Amino acid sequence: MAISPQTAEILRSRAPNLFIEDAWRSSAGVAEWALTDLEGRRLRCADFQRDWHDLLASESRLLLEAFRGSGKTTHLRAYFLWRLGRNPNTIIKYITGDPELALGFGDAMLQDIEHNDALHQVFPGLLPDKTLWSKSKLRVRRGVTSDQASFEADSILHGRAGGRADILSFDDPTTWRNTVAQPADREKVKLALRENWLPFIVPGGQIVFIYTPWHVNDATAELERDPVWRHGRWPIRDAEDRATWPARFPDAEIERMRADIRSPL
């Protein structure tokens, strides 16, 4: 049975160990215990966002397609923190179509690992190794000797893969700029994926794409046609025309957005 945010906050204050244990077991638990929204309130996962975490924990080749503003990037961050907390030897690469987004995400990871007290209640051993500590490359304290970063953030057309990764993640690698405004870059993105990024996954590693589509022939659209990928899709309205996330995007807000852009969402 669903509970209200107010009830959830009361339970957190009275029985924090239950939430800390849940955060140890699942990345959805990390999102709800350790991360906050733009107003500083603890996150509360919608049902569809919990589905994302289940897929992230189980699928080795995942295409997670969802509407803009659905929280994809924040929940991916919760998953990364959970993976590093459970195994600090994990190597993660995060690639986007926008260099500024890459650095912003890297900064959020850096701040969480260094300063997030709630995260450290779950994973007290998840601590920075200050010998490599920046927005683009950071290393956590771990039990193996390696010069490689624990986490790297880069952009798809300007970065280089370097060493191999346990998790290779792509957050909106196709953008309006590299897909629509500059259509010649569409093929460059596909080439970069095939030759500069995808070959650097370790055997048994995980590749994840989170994205909103831009073009029927962009890189993510091509991957959707390959049966090796598990493709999950969450439009702003479900198959029965109900709002997917009514707490954030109720019907009136969806219709206002549609009117603004004069197009279906």
Side-chain angles (χ1 to χ4, degrees), residues 87-183:
N87 180 6
N89 297 327
T90 303
I91 304 298
I92 300 171
K93 293 186 185 293
Y94 171 83
I95 302 101
T96 78
D98 181 347
E100 291 187 8
L101 175 61
L103 291 178
F105 189 96
D107 185 53
M109 290 286 292
L110 183 151
Q111 296 298 329
D112 279 324
I113 295 169
E114 189 167 10
H115 301 297
N116 190 323
D117 292 337
L119 180 67
H120 293 147
Q121 288 180 289
V122 184
F123 302 115
L126 183 56
L127 299 169
D129 175 352
K130 288 299 188 70
T131 62
L132 184 60
W133 196 245
S134 72
K135 296 177 184 180
S136 59
K137 291 184 180 183
L138 62 85
R139 186 163 54 228
V140 301
R141 297 182 194 177
R142 56 195 183 196
V144 299
T145 301
S146 172
D147 292 333
Q148 191 169 358
S150 303
F151 170 85
E152 293 185 45
D154 220 327
S155 60
I156 192 162
L157 291 180
H158 300 99
R160 297 188 63 184
R164 293 183 175 272
D166 300 298
I167 303 173
L168 195 56
S169 64
F170 298 87
D171 184 352
D172 280 325
T174 56
T175 65
W176 180 83
R177 180 180 295 276
N178 70 27
T179 303
V180 180
Q182 299 173 354

